[in-house]
Amino acid sequence: MPHQDQITSVAIHPAIGIARVGNSPQGWFLGPEAPGQPRTPAGNYRDAQGRILRRAARFRLYGLDDAGRVVREITAQEARIEWTVEVANLKADWFNFDQALDIPASRGDLPGTSPVASLRRNRRLAGADRAGLRIEPGARHISGTDTHREGGDPRHTFDSGCFMGRKVYLGELRTDEAGRLLFLGGRGHSSSYDGQPPQGFANNDGWHDDICDGPVNARVTLGGVTHEAIGAWVVVAPPDYAPGVQALVTGWDLLRDLAVRSRRMCPPGQPDYWQDIHPLLRRLADTEWVNAGFALQFGWGTPQDFRSPGLRARLCDPAPACQPLRRAVFHSFREPGAPRLQADAWPAVYGDAVVLNPPITDPMNWMSITPLQYALLRQWADGDFRHVPAPPPDLPFDQMKPAEQAQALDRAALEETTGGPFHPGAEFTWPMRVALMYEQHGQPFRLRRRRGPEPDFGDVLTASSALAAGGPLDGCVPGGITRWMACPWQTDTASCLSAYKPWAGEYLPTFWPARVPNDVLTQAQYAVVMDTAQPLDQRLQALSAARREKWLRGIVYASKGQPPALIGQPNPRAVFIEAWSQVGIVLEQPAPTDLPLWPPTLRVETGRRIGPAAATAVHSLAAHDPTQER
């Protein structure tokens, strides 16, 4: 074991931790800490009363030598550790989300476009009155082992911040048995101080939620020497309604691409098939459980099911005989930054500049994979890649070397987030792909702290002012990540659907079904699939993509096959603000074993408790054209 004096600095991992809200008063679980190894808590993400568990973000400390190499994890068994966290919710005092400000259309660089000018939310409040829109409980501190285990101590609870005079709970700190930090976020509560119903998907004056973010710091005294640890950041996000289904572009893909393009990380060189190629292809197929269009194109039994052993064997074979297949797959993907529309390319996902009505001219109406993903796919298509016949087994976290653990923590947290499209997004939005936000040397995934207080950015924000040196992205402040998101989060989740236009189809394009499902296999359908006494044809029909039910049926969709009703009396967005914890969570379940024609596992909507009142209300709504709503 290395000697203690080899440690010259300390760093917190993950660099960006992700917590998620839940309405269970006491129940919570830990997020993933190793890639490919998600955690499934007892009770399938709900407590005994069916309430959604909060997902905690855990932060660990690692000692580094003078070359910046990881030596070992540091715990309270050998060191005095004092954690400090400061989170805030600044959404209501921020600017409207209109469109990602870093794209050509927002800068006015495309024909027929002019620069986007985003106005302040809650403009009827001015001057000192706007302070009531900022939920800023200040910093909290914690130390020791198993501290605040049962909660309830105001010294470790972020419950003193107010929205228009009303206290808002944003979360709390705890420690585990080794003195590691646990951050638990809010309980998913959103409300309006003036009683006005929500009307838009992103900008609803008078409203607030309990999402937040902020810096994580630690002072570590080891062997008589005190270190101020290299800091991290915690981001609180909405629930993950399809845990284990990864976005086509994850937050890890996004930040890895940014780090390579900004030269803060070396490119991987020759891609590894199982690390760099197969995950993207597998996600196309895994999305079958949350979107019926992907099920029809890439799902179980289709020619393009990239999980199929036979197809995988050909895809990971560098032989010239397999090159036509590899190239066909590569050329099916949309080229990032292409100057022309590629509407029929993969993936069939709305983009940052989505427009629902023709004429559609902006190539960013559809999302593309990252430039790094595309470059690695090109190399693979040309036969330039590392390959072995089968993927290496996932190494358990406690069997990893310390340096591998630190990297795993950074990656695992971000792999379960969505790296696009950003309209605005699931956990975070477009500022996360701006290099100005990050430390420039040695820590490619660490958000940079702002030096000094922020200036007043005025009443209007444009692309040029948002991206300027000294602007709102030039260093991060508590609440500075989540303020760009929808307010409240539920209105965006209830609006992020698929195939808004009937002429575009019933299932595609989509937004981010890996977090907000579109079409699901219900528990009733699953029961038919599993019932070996049923005729085989009926069991297969129950599994078929065409029979999937809308996840937001009874809230946004009056019935299967009808277009979404996004506004009316009552307002579906308002219904979801109350019913967000009663919708289903899509979870992995056993598959039948009586015949060899079934998938290895199934993913099934579980825990849905939407009552008839919500369904009756939405049945009375007329179909609405959402063009101006999203």
Side-chain angles (χ1 to χ4, degrees):
M1 177 179 291
H3 294 295
Q4 182 172 284
D5 60 5
Q6 289 184 275
I7 292 176
T8 59
S9 61
V10 178
I12 304 172
H13 290 272
I16 301 174
I18 305 296
R20 295 186 183 274
V21 300
N23 66 328
S24 177
Q26 296 296 329
W28 59 274
F29 68 102
L30 283 172
E33 294 187 308
Q37 301 177 42
R39 299 176 185 270
T40 303
N44 284 338
Y45 298 89
R46 297 183 187 270
D47 65 15
Q49 286 72 44
R51 297 167 297 196
I52 293 180
L53 306 178
R54 286 185 286 178
R55 193 181 97 172
R58 178 160 63 179
F59 294 89
R60 300 171 183 247
L61 293 161
Y62 284 85
L64 314 178
D65 65 17
D66 55 9
R69 295 181 293 249
V70 176
V71 176
R72 68 176 185 277
E73 183 182 4
I74 297 173
T75 68
Q77 293 178 341
E78 60 173 330
R80 165 72 178 173
I81 302 169
E82 301 172 53
W83 295 95
T84 300
V85 181
E86 183 177 0
V87 295
N89 178 313
L90 308 179
K91 287 184 176 185
D93 187 39
W94 197 235
F95 296 88
N96 285 332
F97 176 84
D98 298 306
Q99 190 168 264
L101 295 179
D102 63 337
I103 64 175
S106 295
R107 298 192 299 265
D109 291 347
L110 298 181
T113 65
S114 56
V116 170
S118 296
L119 302 177
R120 285 273 188 183
R121 291 169 174 158
N122 293 289
R123 294 190 300 281
R124 64 181 178 270
L125 298 178
D129 292 339
R130 293 193 65 84
L133 300 170
R134 301 167 65 92
I135 308 171
E136 298 177 297
R140 297 291 188 273
H141 312 276
I142 197 167
S143 61
T145 59
D146 283 323
T147 304
H148 202 216
R149 185 170 184 173
E150 302 301 325
D153 189 335
R155 294 176 300 171
H156 309 308
T157 304
F158 297 94
D159 62 354
S160 60
C162 295
F163 180 77
M164 301 304 290
R166 301 176 183 175
K167 286 189 176 182
V168 178
Y169 170 87
L170 294 182
E172 61 191 77
L173 305 180
R174 301 183 183 186
T175 63
D176 70 5
E177 71 283 352
R180 306 180 186 101
L181 176 69
L182 300 170
F183 183 94
L184 279 70
R187 296 195 173 99
H189 176 71
S190 301
S191 66
S192 167
Y193 78 88
D194 58 7
Q196 294 300 309
Q199 296 297 327
F201 77 93
N203 309 303
N204 292 286
D205 284 357
W207 282 83
H208 79 279
D209 59 27
D210 57 4
I211 297 295
C212 66
D213 68 274
V216 177
N217 298 307
R219 175 175 293 175
V220 182
T221 302
L222 179 66
V225 178
T226 298
H227 305 270
E228 296 293 340
I230 299 170
W233 207 269
V234 64
V235 175
V236 180
D240 181 353
Y241 289 106
V245 179
Q246 291 185 336
L248 302 178
V249 176
T250 68
W252 166 258
D253 295 323
L254 180 80
L255 268 63
R256 184 191 188 199
D257 174 81
L258 175 63
V260 169
R261 287 190 289 111
S262 58
R263 299 184 180 180
R264 292 177 295 117
M265 175 185 283
C266 294
Q270 193 180 51
D272 180 290
Y273 176 78
W274 296 108
Q275 291 293 321
D276 299 310
I277 306 301
H278 179 68
L280 173 60
L281 302 182
R282 186 203 69 235
R283 292 170 197 160
L284 290 170
D286 286 347
T287 305
E288 71 163 312
W289 302 115
V290 288
N291 179 276
F294 275 83
L296 290 167
Q297 190 171 10
F298 303 106
W300 178 256
T302 65
Q304 295 179 142
D305 179 1
F306 292 111
R307 300 160 302 189
S308 166
L311 182 55
R312 287 194 316 181
R314 296 173 63 201
L315 293 170
C316 73
D317 187 347
C322 296
Q323 190 168 51
L325 172 62
R326 295 195 305 271
R327 286 185 171 172
V329 171
F330 166 70
H331 288 297
S332 296
F333 281 90
R334 187 170 295 113
E335 181 182 359
R340 65 191 185 282
L341 290 170
Q342 297 177 331
D344 57 346
W346 298 347
V349 173
Y350 291 117
D352 293 349
V354 59
V355 176
L356 299 179
N357 281 333
I360 298 171
T361 59
D362 190 338
M364 295 192 74
N365 193 78
W366 288 274
M367 188 191 79
S368 64
I369 59 177
T370 70
L372 179 59
Q373 285 177 307
Y374 194 78
L376 295 174
L377 275 176
R378 185 191 298 275
Q379 284 184 258
W380 164 74
D382 291 339
D384 179 17
F385 65 98
R386 297 189 300 276
H387 63 93
V388 293
D394 291 325
L395 194 64
F397 185 84
D398 59 3
Q399 295 181 21
M400 295 179 182
K401 298 176 181 178
E404 294 172 333
Q405 290 181 345
Q407 293 173 358
L409 290 167
D410 289 348
R411 181 169 182 169
L414 290 168
E415 275 196 335
E416 302 306 317
T417 63
T418 303
F422 289 139
H423 199 78
E427 296 87 6
F428 40 70
T429 187
W430 65 272
M432 295 294 281
R433 64 186 176 204
V434 177
L436 193 63
M437 294 273 285
Y438 298 89
E439 296 290 350
Q440 297 302 304
H441 303 288
Q443 301 288 336
F445 305 114
R446 292 194 187 273
L447 292 163
R448 186 165 58 85
R449 317 292 177 85
R450 191 175 189 94
R451 296 181 178 178
E454 280 193 320
D456 185 343
F457 296 115
D459 296 326
V460 180
L461 191 68
T462 63
S464 59
S465 58
L467 295 166
L473 303 185
D474 195 353
C476 301
V477 298
I481 304 301
T482 53
R483 65 186 174 184
W484 301 88
M485 303 296 287
C487 183
W489 67 267
Q490 290 99 332
T491 57
D492 191 30
T493 299
S495 305
C496 293
L497 313 173
S498 60
Y500 293 89
K501 294 294 185 177
W503 48 260
E506 187 178 351
Y507 305 121
L508 293 171
T510 180
F511 266 106
W512 35 80
R515 293 295 163 267
V516 183
N518 306 134
D519 313 288
V520 295
L521 180 69
T522 68
Q523 286 185 303
Q525 292 168 331
Y526 177 61
V528 174
V529 172
M530 296 297 291
D531 186 355
T532 57
Q534 293 280 351
L536 178 60
D537 183 63
Q538 291 186 21
R539 297 171 69 195
L540 291 172
Q541 286 186 27
L543 183 62
S544 70
R547 296 294 181 93
R548 302 285 162 86
E549 293 284 354
K550 290 297 183 184
W551 181 65
L552 287 176
R553 63 196 183 278
I555 298 178
V556 172
Y557 295 90
S559 62
K560 183 175 174 58
Q562 291 190 5
L566 280 178
I567 197 166
Q569 293 296 331
N571 187 330
R573 293 190 178 106
V575 173
F576 189 77
I577 288 173
E578 300 299 322
W580 66 269
S581 65
Q582 300 176 38
V583 295
I585 299 177
V586 178
L587 299 177
E588 189 172 81
Q589 300 291 336
T593 58
D594 59 314
L595 295 170
L597 52 78
W598 306 107
T601 60
L602 309 177
R603 290 188 180 269
V604 182
E605 177 193 55
T606 65
R608 176 182 163 88
R609 297 188 298 150
I610 299 297
T616 301
V618 177
H619 270 282
S620 68
L621 299 178
H624 172 66
D625 181 349
T627 302
Q628 303 303 319
E629 293 296 312
R630 182 148 193 84

